[in-house]
């Protein structure tokens, strides 16, 4: 009896212990879950606070950012160090027009969010320009630190972005970097140097950065002046198109016009493209000029066809540089512009230098193909500088081959080159493309190309590049 009582007691106490034990474990588990939730919420809140802190001056525009830099210089002591980075999104203008403003703003916001992840705590970030984001980093960083940070920033920006349409996009950027050292003694200098560094980064290619140095300043003062002037020229509508006739030799009449861009500089007069296109290629404004020139050409062409109803075969051509053709959305951008007009695509020709056609860079080839699919004519420009070019023509589809002036000049004295031109003329007849001899300056050259049975000529002999009114365009 005693034994059984004892057994029952032991059993009961065992049952009781197990119950308490289970209760304790359960309580502990609940405690752990609650603590974890609080911890996560806390971390999240803290992260949001950090982000909010970093974004404190997000609402600041460029002016506000510049004022802040001025203030930082005013209160700076000898041991105060800060660095400013200016990041520019490549081809933002085109991104905006091809994807729409809403999508472009979203993309810029995503880039900004990504930058927040890599810049040090307490840094400031703001919209500097439509296509650029400025970052203010208030801590001492040596060149190694800056290099690492810039590398991280570029890597983040290059990560794929998914668009609203689920399409994927990779954004390219450049960064200019300046610290408050002896080369940038005040805010005005710092901000100027920032643009110089950025421009230098762009010269290096996509996704490159450049840290401002004195050598850079010496090298680029002149270019910076141009850079500022080009920005003013764009907003001041100082660019214009000249036109040069392309002559049909056997029909004895104008077959088309090549448009050639000019800058009506307020003090230097009319400038040729070699004075500004290379700079625009570096600053990224070449994308702008491409869209502008295409629009201006189509507007002029529309007027021409209205004024000359019997000249409906005349072709208007424009030049596209390899850099322009590298822009992945070029064809879409052109499609949008073209849709505004009612001109048959066969009356429009895109002139592309031969090496850009032959090199087969994927973006370039894809743009050329799309332009061709839209029905535009394609001209291989400046043909002949490479003797191997002839072979390259075999598997390409195009409409015109424009023989470079120097090539024509050489072929007059050089038996071998003359032979190449003769072969090319035969090949053109076979494949159905037209040949245009460039730089026909006098009757001697005219007679020479006529003898060779080259179909078309262009040059001062037929007419110089002039404002459209001069040719009643
Ligand atoms: P290009 O496409 O080879 O254009 C022909 C160039 O030869 C033009 O120079 C023209 O003025 C010049 N020229 C025409 N006939 C003669 C002649 O009989 N003798 C001589 N010596 N020269 C002649 P321009 O206008 O200075 O243009 C230079 C280059 O700039 C063009 O070479 C073209 O590659 C580029 N370019 C012009 N406009 C544009 C544009 O809107 N976009 C792009 N991407 N490039 C352009
Ligand atoms: Ca050309
Ligand atoms: Ca040419």
């Amino acid at each position: 009896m005693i034994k059984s009582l004892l057994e029952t007691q032991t059993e009961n106490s065992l049952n009781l212990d197990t119950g308490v034990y289970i209760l304790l474990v359960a309580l502990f588990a609940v405690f752990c879950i609650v603590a974890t939730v609080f911890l996560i919420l806390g971390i999240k809140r803290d992260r949001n606070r950090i982000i909010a802190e970093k974004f404190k001056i997000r609402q600041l525009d460029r002016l506000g950012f510049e004022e802040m830099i001025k203030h930082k210089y005013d209160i700076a002591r000898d041991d105060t160090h800060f660095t400013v980075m200016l990041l520019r999104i490549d081809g933002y203008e085109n991104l905006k027009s091809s994807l729409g403003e809403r999508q472009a703003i979203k993309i810029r916001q995503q880039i900004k969010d990504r930058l927040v992840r890599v810049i040090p705590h307490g840094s400031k970030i703001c919209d500097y320009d439509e296509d650029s984001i400025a970052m203010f980093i208030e801590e001492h960083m040596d060149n190694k630190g800056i290099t690492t940070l810039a590398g991280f920033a570029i890597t983040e920006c290059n990560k794929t972005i998914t668009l609203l349409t689920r399409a994927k996009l990779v954004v390219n950027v450049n960064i200019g970097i300046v610290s408050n050292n002896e080369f940038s003694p005040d805010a005005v200098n710092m901000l100027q140097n920032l643009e110089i560094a950025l421009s230098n980064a762009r010269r290096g290619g996509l996704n490159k950065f450049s840290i401002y140095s004195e050598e850079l300043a010496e090298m680029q003062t002149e270019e910076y002046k141009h850079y500022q002037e080009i920005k003013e020229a764009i907003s001041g509508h100082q660019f214009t198109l000249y036109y040069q006739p392309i002559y049909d030799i056997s029909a004895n009449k104008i077959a088309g016009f090549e448009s050639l861009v000019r800058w009506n500089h307020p003090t230097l007069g009319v400038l040729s493209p070699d004075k500004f296109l290379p700079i625009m290629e570096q600053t990224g404004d070449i994308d702008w000029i491409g869209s502008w020139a295409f629009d201006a050409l189509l507007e002029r062409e529309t007027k021409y066809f209205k004024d000359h109803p019997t000249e409906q075969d005349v072709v208007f051509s424009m030049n596209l540089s390899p850099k322009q053709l590298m822009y992945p959305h070029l064809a879409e951008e052109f499609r949008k512009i073209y849709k505004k007009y009612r001109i048959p695509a066969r009356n429009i020709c895109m002139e592309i230098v031969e090496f850009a056609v032959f090199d087969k860079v994927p973006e370039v080839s894809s743009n050329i193909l799309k332009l061709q699919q839209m029905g535009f004519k394609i001209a291989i420009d400046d043909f002949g500088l490479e003797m191997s070019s002839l072979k390259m023509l075999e598997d390409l589809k195009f409409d015109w081959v424009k023989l470079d002036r120097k090539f024509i000049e050489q072929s007059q004295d050089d038996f071998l080159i003359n032979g190449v031109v003769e072969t090319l003329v035969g090949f053109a007849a076979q494949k159905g493309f037209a040949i245009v001899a460039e730089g026909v300056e006098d009757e001697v050259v005219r007679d020479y190309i006529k003898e060779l049975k080259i179909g078309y000529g262009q040059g001062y002999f037929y007419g110089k590049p002039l404002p459209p009114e001069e040719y009643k365009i």
Side-chain angles (χ1 to χ4, degrees):
M1 165 88 179
I2 290 170
K3 196 180 167 217
S4 80
L5 247 177
L6 268 175
E7 269 172 5
T8 323
Q9 255 185 12
T10 320
E11 229 169 63
N12 279 346
S13 75
L14 244 180
N15 280 345
L16 193 72
D17 283 355
T18 314
V20 170
Y21 180 72
I22 290 170
L23 190 71
L24 280 176
V25 168
L27 274 175
F28 183 69
V30 169
F31 171 78
C32 283
I33 291 167
V34 171
T36 312
V37 168
F38 271 101
L39 196 68
I40 290 170
L41 283 177
I43 290 171
K44 219 170 170 184
R45 207 178 317 120
D46 203 36
R47 193 170 162 265
N48 285 344
R49 195 183 51 74
I50 293 168
I51 290 175
E53 169 74 12
K54 282 181 177 176
F55 271 81
K56 226 183 201 164
I57 58 159
R58 185 198 249 176
Q59 301 309 321
L60 276 188
D61 55 6
R62 180 180 180 152
L63 210 72
F65 191 80
E66 288 175 358
E67 269 169 14
M68 183 195 70
I69 305 265
K70 240 181 248 152
H71 175 68
K72 293 287 178 189
Y73 265 103
D74 287 345
I75 59 167
R77 298 190 317 249
D78 284 352
D79 59 347
T80 306
H81 298 286
F82 52 88
T83 295
V84 178
M85 293 189 168
L86 183 59
L87 176 141
R88 188 151 296 155
I89 302 169
D90 186 62
Y92 186 78
E93 195 50 45
N94 285 323
L95 221 61
K96 212 171 78 176
S97 48
S98 56
L99 301 174
E101 187 159 16
R102 206 172 123 236
Q103 181 73 75
I105 291 172
K106 275 198 162 210
I107 292 172
R108 197 185 51 192
Q109 186 56 51
Q110 280 201 43
I111 300 266
K112 242 162 74 172
D113 292 347
R114 289 173 179 190
L115 291 170
V116 169
R117 282 187 221 141
V118 292
I119 54 178
H121 175 62
S123 303
K124 312 284 184 215
I125 184 163
C126 98
D127 294 320
Y128 193 72
D129 261 333
E130 202 184 24
D131 62 351
S132 36
I133 296 161
M135 288 159 276
F136 176 85
I137 298 144
E138 197 160 21
E139 67 178 51
H140 181 61
M141 283 200 296
D142 54 12
N143 267 14
K144 196 166 163 246
I146 293 175
T147 304
T148 311
L149 179 57
F152 279 149
I154 290 173
T155 309
E156 278 297 319
C157 294
N158 288 162
K159 285 182 182 163
T160 311
I161 289 179
T162 308
L163 304 179
L164 295 173
T165 56
R166 302 246 149 258
K168 304 231 182 286
L169 177 97
V170 172
V171 171
N172 297 304
V173 297
N174 285 104
I175 307 179
I177 306 162
V178 185
S179 295
N180 68 324
N181 50 30
E182 68 271 32
F183 307 129
S184 304
D186 55 41
V188 175
N189 267 293
M190 177 175 239
L191 293 164
Q192 260 181 19
N193 297 344
L194 200 55
E195 297 276 2
I196 295 172
L198 180 60
S199 159
N200 192 55
R202 295 176 79 113
R203 174 186 293 129
L206 294 175
N207 304 312
K208 295 278 187 291
F209 64 89
S210 167
I211 305 169
Y212 182 80
S213 65
E214 201 170 26
E215 301 92 84
L216 207 59
E218 276 167 22
M219 228 168 66
Q220 299 218 328
T221 322
E222 204 51 29
E223 263 178 33
Y224 177 72
K225 224 175 78 201
H226 279 125
Y227 171 83
Q228 293 291 54
E229 278 183 350
I230 284 172
K231 294 286 178 209
E232 281 159 30
I234 292 175
S235 55
H237 308 286
Q238 292 168 13
F239 291 104
T240 186
L241 289 182
Y242 274 29
Y243 291 85
Q244 185 177 33
I246 299 168
Y247 210 74
D248 183 334
I249 298 168
S250 56
N252 225 4
K253 64 185 210 91
I254 289 174
F257 293 96
E258 175 176 3
S259 61
L260 296 155
V261 67
R262 296 288 182 269
W263 177 1
N264 273 324
H265 193 283
T267 54
L268 302 174
V270 180
L271 298 182
S272 298
D274 61 323
K275 298 282 186 304
F276 55 90
L277 284 188
I279 301 171
M280 290 183 104
E281 295 218 328
Q282 285 161 24
T283 58
D285 293 315
I286 192 75
D287 293 336
W288 172 84
I289 207 133
S291 308
W292 168 82
F294 189 46
D295 207 320
L297 176 98
L298 293 179
E299 198 180 330
R300 185 56 68 173
E301 202 171 349
T302 305
K303 182 180 173 305
Y304 180 85
F305 287 136
K306 194 162 155 265
D307 296 349
H308 304 82
T310 56
E311 305 292 331
Q312 301 297 312
D313 288 335
V314 168
V315 174
F316 282 66
S317 75
M318 69 173 287
N319 293 280
L320 282 174
S321 72
K323 177 85 199 265
Q324 285 173 293
L325 286 158
M326 287 289 290
Y327 178 58
H329 300 289
L330 178 104
E332 276 71 33
E333 171 79 0
F334 273 35
R335 194 193 304 275
K336 270 194 186 169
I337 298 171
Y338 177 60
K339 262 170 60 188
K340 296 198 296 181
Y341 299 90
R342 301 173 136 264
I343 298 168
R346 64 171 189 288
N347 290 97
I348 299 155
C349 179
M350 304 291 165
E351 299 197 9
I352 302 163
V353 285
E354 60 164 30
F355 66 87
V357 181
F358 297 157
D359 280 357
K360 298 228 167 80
V361 175
E363 288 87 355
V364 174
S365 300
S366 147
N367 271 325
I368 296 177
L369 188 70
K370 284 181 193 159
L371 292 169
Q372 248 170 348
Q373 283 165 347
M374 281 187 247
F376 303 137
K377 286 191 160 62
I378 300 290
I380 299 185
D381 204 358
D382 298 348
F383 184 87
L385 298 175
E386 295 283 331
M387 289 295 279
S388 58
S389 303
L390 204 57
K391 181 90 196 69
M392 306 292 286
L393 289 179
E394 270 177 3
D395 42 62
L396 286 171
K397 199 175 154 278
F398 51 87
D399 302 275
W400 295 353
V401 168
K402 300 190 79 176
L403 301 188
D404 192 70
R405 183 169 63 94
K406 291 200 185 73
F407 189 58
I408 294 284
E409 249 170 37
Q410 287 166 2
S411 77
Q412 283 169 278
D413 317 318
D414 190 317
F415 180 72
L416 250 175
I417 301 179
N418 183 285
V420 173
V421 178
E422 273 182 351
T423 314
L424 183 67
V425 173
F427 188 50
Q430 230 183 63
K431 264 202 101 177
F433 62 84
I435 299 182
V436 184
E438 292 187 312
V440 182
E441 290 186 351
D442 50 42
E443 278 177 350
V444 178
V445 183
R446 194 270 318 264
D447 291 345
Y448 172 71
I449 59 166
K450 223 170 156 178
E451 204 178 295
L452 279 171
K453 297 198 170 48
I454 288 176
Y456 300 83
Q458 182 181 351
Y460 299 162
F461 177 76
Y462 298 109
K464 290 197 163 181
L466 290 172
E469 301 76 30
E470 301 288 331
Y471 291 113
K472 298 198 171 43
I473 301 178

